Amino acid sequence: MPAKTFSIMGDSISTFEGCVPDGYTLFYNDERLERSGVLRPEDTWWSHTVRALGGTVLADSAWSGSMVEGAGFPAASSPERAAALLGRDGQEPDAVLVFIGINDYGWGGAEAQAAGRSHAMLRNIRTAAPKAAVYCITLLPGRTHGVDHPEFCYRLRGRHLDEYNAAIRDAAAAEGCRVADVRAFGRDYDSLEGTHPTNLGMRQFASMVVRAMQLADSAGVETPTTEGITAVAQPDAANPALDLRDFCGAPKSAQLCDSPTCIGCPHAANTGNQWLCRCLK
C-alpha cells in the first residue's frame, strides 16, 4: 500500500504557525504570512506535496534557522528532532520528507556535512521511524519575486551549492534513502528574498518535489535497509494547484558569476552576521 502519512524534517522554509511542536522557532507567522501570500498551512510546499500524493501530514519537525550540523538540539542531526517526526501518540509516518541544508550552505558548513552530520540525521530518522520511506530533497536556487533574471549566489562562502547537494545524495545512498533531486530540473522558485518561497514559490517547489519523488520511486533503491518500504509517489498528481510539466512556470536557473566567493563582493546582498543568497549585480 502506498504511504498515507507524511512527516517533514526541515528548516524555516517548512515552518508554519500552529504546525510545528511548541517552542520551535518560526518563519511563516505574523506579518510574513501576508508578505509571502502563504496564508494557511495548505499553502505550504509540504501540504501541496502530501495532498498531491493522496496523504495526510502527521508531524512537522521544522525549526527556523536550524542546520543539519550542530552540537545538539535543535540541529537536525539531534535525536530530539527525529523524535518530533512521530505523531502525538508515537505513531510512525509512512514517509519522511527531508528538506534542510540551506542554512548550512549560508553559514558555510560543508565540511561538517561531509564529515557525517547528514548521515547522523538520517540514522536518527531511521531509528525513530524504521519503517518509513525517507526522501532527501536537494537544495535549489530561489529568485526574489519580481526579479526577471537569475540572482542566486552559488559560492556564497566559497563552497558551491552543489557540493551540499552531493553530500545529500551521498548520505541518502549510504543510509538507504531516496533522493528527490529537484536541483536536477534546473529551475528557480519564486521567493521573498531569494530564500523563503512565496505562495507561487511553494507551488513551484512542491510540483518539483512530487515529480522528483516519482522519478526516485521509478529508479528504486538497491539496499537491504529499505526492505518492506513501499514506493510513495503516485503516477499522477491529485492536486490541481500543481503543474508537474512546467512546475507552475518556475524559471530556468543560471549561474552568472564565477567568483570563488561572495565574501567582500560589493554585489553580495549580505555575507556577514546575516546572509542572503542574492547577487545584486
Side-chain angles (χ1 to χ4, degrees):
M1 294 293 291
K4 289 299 182 183
T5 59
F6 294 75
S7 290
I8 296 89
M9 173 68 81
D11 50 32
S12 59
I13 292 173
S14 301
T15 62
F16 197 90
E17 60 182 0
C19 296
V20 301
D22 291 343
Y24 278 37
T25 57
L26 296 164
F27 180 86
Y28 286 97
N29 68 336
D30 299 333
E31 79 285 350
R32 297 190 189 103
L33 303 183
E34 290 291 338
R35 287 176 51 210
S36 65
V38 180
L39 303 176
R40 309 170 300 156
E42 291 78 11
D43 296 329
T44 63
W45 74 267
W46 42 267
S47 183
H48 281 301
T49 297
V50 171
R51 289 202 308 280
L53 300 176
T56 59
V57 176
L58 180 65
D60 182 10
S61 181
W63 184 296
S64 182
S66 67
M67 298 188 286
V68 176
E69 67 169 290
F73 184 80
S77 57
S78 66
E80 294 91 340
R81 289 290 300 281
L85 296 169
L86 303 179
R88 292 184 181 275
D89 297 320
Q91 311 98 305
E92 283 188 41
D94 296 318
V96 177
L97 307 182
V98 181
F99 180 54
I100 190 168
I102 195 64
N103 289 310
D104 298 80
Y105 171 70
W107 292 114
E111 291 85 355
Q113 285 207 33
R117 297 296 172 83
S118 294
H119 292 263
M121 175 184 66
L122 296 178
R123 289 170 188 166
N124 285 335
I125 291 173
R126 285 285 191 209
T127 298
K131 296 180 181 179
V134 180
Y135 290 81
C136 300
I137 303 167
T138 51
L139 307 176
L140 76 168
R143 185 184 302 192
T144 304
H145 183 72
V147 173
D148 63 358
H149 58 272
E151 60 170 3
F152 191 81
C153 296
Y154 284 89
R155 291 190 181 91
L156 188 69
R157 296 183 187 272
R159 302 297 295 267
H160 199 284
L161 176 75
D162 286 331
E163 294 184 56
Y164 293 80
N165 284 327
I168 290 170
R169 296 184 189 100
D170 290 347
E175 304 302 330
C177 304
R178 300 187 179 203
V179 179
D181 197 354
V182 295
R183 173 72 172 128
F185 298 132
R187 304 291 185 107
D188 295 350
Y189 62 87
D190 194 69
S191 70
L192 283 175
E193 68 318 54
T195 302
H196 296 94
T198 61
N199 184 296
L200 172 60
M202 290 288 189
R203 289 184 283 117
Q204 291 171 335
F205 181 56
S207 65
M208 290 186 246
V209 171
V210 172
R211 183 64 184 132
M213 290 175 67
Q214 293 175 354
L215 294 172
D217 283 348
S218 65
V221 181
E222 299 298 329
T223 171
T225 61
T226 59
E227 184 177 357
I229 292 175
T230 307
V232 172
Q234 302 304 298
D236 297 305
N239 186 342
L242 305 186
D243 180 352
L244 304 192
R245 295 165 299 175
D246 191 41
F247 304 125
C248 301
K252 291 184 178 180
S253 305
Q255 183 174 334
L256 303 182
C257 178
D258 292 326
S259 175
T261 180
C262 299
I263 295 176
C265 178
H267 303 298
N270 200 320
T271 59
N273 293 331
Q274 297 180 348
W275 55 266
L276 289 173
C277 298
R278 294 188 65 198
C279 176
L280 305 181
K281 188 173 182 179

